[in-house]
Amino acid sequence: MASLFPQPCPELPEYGSLILKGPYHASAPVHLLLSHALANPDAKAILLTPNRASFKAALVDLNDEWLDHNSGHGRVASASRRTEIFYPPTLAHLRLLLSMLHEYDTMVHHEKTTLDVAPSLLVLHEISSYFDTASSETTVSAYLSVISSALALTNSWSPRHPGKASKLVVFDSGLTDLKLPILRPLSFEDQTHDIQRHRDALSVLLERYFEWRADAQVHEEARLAPGEDQTEDNEGEASPRVARSLSIQRCRGGEDGEGVVWHWTEVEHVRENSRPYTTFHWNEPES
């Protein structure tokens, strides 16, 4: 089953589409890609993210202990070879990439966008970063257009492999605070006041496109679970780094109120002559 954390951990519900917003941990997209590939020996997964340097820096800062120890070995290494990451730097590049990705069927649009096997998982990462500058292109309709294109792409892949529908997941930590004008202004410079007045929360509209939504939160107090010492002999000095929760709710296609809340603490371990690394400590989930 798919997960956002190293095992053992809670698993995601069965999903076809999922949008995750808020301050999630940096390694969540990587764990999703790997767990999907590990659970499906023939699966291929793709992630699209706007900035290679930012993506790498966040992973280095977290230094997920499980990834550090397992990413280059055995089944995990094999799963990694069936995942691919693209870095479209602008909204125009992202749109172009979504229009060109395709499974090989005697036609090659471009060698980098022609896939030998259709992915069974497409992940869009930090789309809101494309919309952080004032531009006539940064509208609600532009964001929704990206999602529509991604859904159309996964739907076009699915019929080729009956019973193995391609999934879409969006990770966007900036989505909660992102507000965009609904329509493109005729003259951006002259319409600033009207744009501000007509802005609306995009995340509410997006829920209509997805089966499930997940909301991450950071909590002020981070503590080790009862019985865990501040210093662990085999893992060096341990101190709570941050406490988070993730609320997962069904948006459509199921029972009202269906969902779960996970709580965990990210603990930083410091050992002599070693870079600090992070482990995940779990609390009981809430139904």
Side-chain angles (χ1 to χ4, degrees):
M1 293 291 289
S3 64
L4 305 176
F5 307 88
Q7 295 290 341
C9 69
E11 295 176 338
L12 289 171
E14 187 62 35
Y15 69 93
S17 58
L18 166 70
I19 184 165
L20 194 157
K21 55 190 177 181
Y24 57 86
H25 54 292
S27 60
V30 178
H31 282 296
L32 178 63
L33 294 174
L34 292 176
S35 63
H36 179 82
L38 286 168
N40 304 276
D42 299 325
K44 183 180 181 67
I46 286 181
L47 182 143
L48 311 183
T49 185
N51 191 298
R52 181 195 297 265
S54 297
F55 185 65
K56 179 180 178 180
L59 289 172
V60 170
D61 180 63
L62 178 67
N63 196 21
D64 185 319
E65 185 261 354
W66 188 92
L67 290 179
D68 187 49
H69 281 70
N70 295 280
S71 57
H73 305 283
R75 294 177 62 242
V76 179
S78 176
S80 297
R81 287 193 289 271
R82 289 182 282 113
T83 66
E84 192 167 1
I85 302 178
F86 293 85
Y87 301 93
T90 68
L91 183 58
H93 286 89
L94 176 62
R95 287 170 167 166
L96 180 62
L97 184 56
L98 288 173
S99 70
M100 292 185 66
L101 283 171
H102 70 109
E103 185 178 13
Y104 176 73
D105 57 357
T106 72
M107 181 179 294
V108 177
H109 294 167
H110 188 281
E111 60 180 13
K112 289 188 176 181
T113 61
T114 301
L115 310 171
D116 55 345
V117 176
S120 51
L121 174 64
L122 174 64
V123 178
L124 303 184
H125 182 251
E126 296 303 317
I127 304 174
S128 62
S129 65
Y130 293 114
F131 295 82
D132 61 1
T133 58
S135 165
S136 61
E137 292 296 319
T138 56
T139 63
V140 167
S141 59
Y143 195 114
L144 296 180
S145 176
V146 170
I147 301 302
S148 296
S149 296
L151 286 170
L153 183 59
T154 56
N155 288 335
S156 73
W157 289 334
S158 299
R160 296 176 180 271
H161 305 280
K164 295 185 178 180
S166 297
K167 304 174 186 292
L168 174 66
V169 177
V170 173
F171 289 88
D172 199 341
S173 62
L175 182 57
T176 303
D177 299 321
L178 183 64
K179 296 182 179 181
L180 299 170
I182 296 175
L183 300 174
R184 179 187 301 181
L186 296 177
S187 173
F188 187 82
E189 292 81 3
D190 297 335
Q191 300 291 331
T192 302
H193 178 71
D194 289 338
I195 291 170
Q196 292 290 341
R197 188 174 61 199
H198 289 97
R199 289 190 175 194
D200 197 1
L202 177 62
S203 57
V204 176
L205 299 174
L206 281 170
E207 291 180 8
R208 301 179 183 180
Y209 289 75
F210 293 88
E211 291 180 37
W212 293 85
R213 76 168 192 270
D215 298 274
Q217 291 186 353
V218 170
H219 300 277
E220 292 184 3
E221 294 188 14
R223 300 177 180 176
L224 292 174
E228 292 184 322
D229 297 329
Q230 284 292 108
T231 302
E232 303 173 11
D233 293 338
N234 62 333
E235 296 190 56
E237 183 179 345
S239 59
R241 176 183 176 126
V242 65
R244 302 183 200 261
S245 66
L246 188 70
S247 173
I248 304 175
Q249 297 288 329
R250 184 182 284 275
C251 300
R252 56 181 175 82
E255 298 180 5
D256 292 340
E258 183 179 357
V260 67
V261 181
W262 301 335
H263 294 270
W264 71 94
T265 300
E266 294 166 21
V267 178
E268 184 177 77
H269 302 267
V270 180
R271 290 186 295 192
E272 188 176 357
N273 300 323
S274 177
R275 190 161 60 91
Y277 62 90
T278 301
T279 58
F280 299 85
H281 294 237
W282 290 96
N283 298 333
E284 290 296 323
E286 301 175 11
S287 299

